Amino acid sequence: MNIHEFGFRGTSEIIATTTSKSGKPNAAPIGIISDGNLYARIYTNTQTYANVKTTKKLVANIVDDPLLFVLSAFMELPLEEFRMEDDVPVLKDAKAWVAFECSMEDHPERATVNLRPLRGKIIQRSIQPVNRGFNAVIEATIHATRYLAMKDPKYLRRIEHYEEIVRECGGRREKDAMRKLKEFLK
Ligand SMILES: Cc1cc2nc3c(=O)[nH]c(=O)nc-3n(C[C@H](O)[C@H](O)[C@H](O)COP(=O)(O)O)c2cc1C
């Protein structure tokens, strides 16, 4: 496997899949940072952090479904969304995935998780025209996670801005994702 084929640059938003000590799979959107090193900065109050701490493994799933970003940010994905690749969980809808071995540097709120590629696969190379609606869902979802954590109304105003872009430019999947996001904010 050549890690450069997967296109990580700057911060790439992926869905991280991990397993708990008891073997339960979990999924959550996480940014993978590539600046010469490859790492993630993960809040210590998340399930993803607890799982990586225990198993030292994380899979980056490259996904183009906006609804999966929203659902995995706010709820436990149903088991049927996962399949096992040897000992690691992968999302069934991933266009590509990379399994990493993780080493952790703990900081008070966010740990730096250094990522060493173990193996991976590109399943589908589909052409994706840039869609502002898709990008707007991702931005709105980040602000929604911040709103739920901090309750600062400035995040709600930002979400409204992105909602307008989804209305104008999004396809059906983006509109469904935005509708779902609003439900999680209620
Ligand atoms: C696009 C996107 C990127 C995110 N990136 C990160 C990240 O890099 N680190 C992090 O700790 N949380 C990040 N989050 C927030 C987590 O996904 C969120 O806290 C999630 O609920 C954690 O789920 P878990 O408790 O199942 O791990 C991101 C959210 C979104 C929508």
Side-chain angles (χ1 to χ4, degrees):
M1 181 200 60
N2 176 1
I3 191 68
H4 299 292
E5 271 195 90
F6 290 82
F8 294 113
R9 62 191 194 281
T11 301
S12 303
E13 309 302 343
I14 54 84
I15 299 183
T17 46
T18 54
T19 35
S20 69
K21 206 184 216 164
S22 66
K24 188 174 171 207
N26 185 72
I30 296 287
I32 301 274
I33 303 161
S34 172
D35 60 4
N37 295 313
L38 208 54
Y39 58 98
R41 298 181 67 215
I42 299 182
Y43 286 104
T44 53
N45 61 357
T46 60
Q47 187 64 46
T48 301
Y49 169 84
N51 290 358
V52 170
K53 187 113 184 138
T54 310
T55 63
K56 314 268 185 289
K57 296 263 175 71
L58 176 152
V59 177
N61 295 266
I62 299 178
V63 165
D64 62 6
D65 180 354
L67 189 58
L68 260 186
F69 274 93
V70 171
L71 297 179
S72 63
F74 298 112
M75 58 174 261
E76 286 182 9
L77 287 187
L79 275 182
E80 56 263 26
E81 294 290 340
F82 300 88
R83 66 186 165 78
M84 292 307 280
E85 278 281 343
D86 298 328
D87 60 335
V88 291
V90 170
L91 288 180
K92 278 191 182 145
D93 286 342
K95 301 289 179 231
W97 58 270
V98 184
F100 294 102
E101 186 175 78
C102 306
S103 62
M104 222 177 231
E105 293 165 32
D106 271 328
H107 303 292
E109 280 189 1
R110 270 209 282 192
T112 300
V113 176
N114 298 303
L115 301 169
R116 188 173 74 81
L118 292 172
R119 61 188 190 282
K121 193 167 179 186
I122 297 174
I123 297 152
Q124 194 187 320
R125 291 179 191 269
S126 54
I127 296 168
Q128 285 294 335
V130 171
N131 181 274
R132 291 176 63 208
F134 176 85
N135 294 344
V137 170
I138 301 300
E139 293 301 325
T141 311
I142 291 179
H143 291 303
T145 59
R146 290 178 183 156
Y147 176 72
L148 291 177
M150 290 175 253
K151 298 284 183 261
D152 185 332
K154 80 178 176 200
Y155 295 117
L156 290 180
R157 292 194 290 276
R158 290 178 189 173
I159 293 166
E160 264 175 46
H161 165 75
Y162 290 114
E163 203 182 349
E164 217 172 288
I165 298 174
V166 172
R167 247 194 322 268
E168 276 178 29
C169 306
R172 187 182 54 80
R173 206 65 179 165
E174 283 78 24
K175 286 175 184 161
D176 287 350
M178 199 65 210
R179 209 170 302 121
K180 200 77 199 168
L181 178 68
K182 298 293 288 285
E183 280 175 33
F184 285 119
L185 284 172
K186 274 180 196 159

